[in-house]
Structures are given as structure tokens and as C-alpha cells.
Amino acid sequence: MMSPKAKDTLTLIDKVSGVVAESQRAFKDARITQAKPLAPGSGSFVASVSNGTVACWDTRAGLARPVWTLQGASKAPYLCVEPAPHDANIVVAGTEQYGHGDSDIDIWDIRSAAAPQSKYNEVHSDDITVLQYHPDA
């Protein structure tokens, strides 16, 4: 089990014993705003980060550094993240409001992570704090 502690430290807890297996500060100057499992049973989780990145850790490799990171074009802080329920390669993240009232929803295919596959702005006029897939998606 993984827990973001104090929003800047990741803590890996053994789900059987309840003992802390590892604890690492995730970023020097940013906080984790949300973390979710990437795919059931994968040992990986993805997090939205206040420095405008989305990061993924594989708990089997440890928490010292993410195995990959994604950077949005706006560099606005991400407040939420949602992995696709039926495709472990798709990750969606929402930003806080920036500039002249813009908020973004960025959609990545992590196999080509240089830029979001799709980007939606002008769809919401406030911080995006929750993203959810429709149950039929």
C-alpha cells in the first residue's frame, strides 16, 4: 500500500504487517496532489504534482525516483490524475486555473509521452480537482 504523507513524502506500507517498508520525499519543491494505482496488481501508481508534472513510481523498484514523468505545456500545477480503467497506457490529468481563467485536461498515451495526446481547455472555468471515467468507458 502506498500513501502520500504530508503531500511531499511517499510512504510504502506492507499491507500484511502494516509496517513502513520505505519512505521517500517525492520532490524537493513540489507536493503530490493526488495518487492512484496505475493498473490493478501492477505495483505502479501515478500521481499529479504541483510542479506541473504527472509522475509514476513502480513500488517494486522503490520510491527513490519516478520511473517516468509527464510535463504539460502550460506547466500549471496538476490537481488530479486518473488512469484509464481499461488501458494502462492512458493517463488523464487536470490543472488548477492559470493565466486568464484557463484550466486544462491533458490526456497522455505514456508510450509517446513527449506531449499530451489530447488537450482540453476552455471546458471549465475553475480548478479541475476530480476526473472520472464513465463506467461504460
Side-chain angles (χ1 to χ4, degrees), residues 26-106:
F27 294 95
K28 185 177 178 179
D29 58 350
R31 63 186 171 81
I32 292 174
T33 55
Q34 188 176 48
K36 294 199 172 179
L38 185 58
S42 71
S44 297
F45 67 93
V46 63
S48 53
V49 186
S50 66
N51 64 2
T53 62
V54 173
C56 178
W57 285 264
D58 183 335
T59 58
R60 297 164 295 188
L63 303 177
R65 61 181 68 81
V67 291
W68 53 257
T69 58
L70 307 169
Q71 177 78 53
S74 71
K75 295 190 171 69
Y78 284 110
L79 299 179
C80 60
V81 65
E82 187 67 31
H86 303 295
D87 187 344
N89 295 309
I90 305 296
V91 175
V92 180
T95 70
E96 76 177 22
Q97 191 175 21
Y98 67 94
H100 298 290
D102 295 326
S103 299
D104 297 336
I105 298 173
D106 292 335

Side-chain angles (χ1 to χ4, degrees), residues 8-24:
D8 67 352
T9 302
L10 297 172
T11 302
L12 188 60
I13 302 167
D14 183 286
K15 65 182 177 181
V16 175
S17 68
V19 174
V20 172
E22 183 179 359
S23 188
Q24 294 280 340

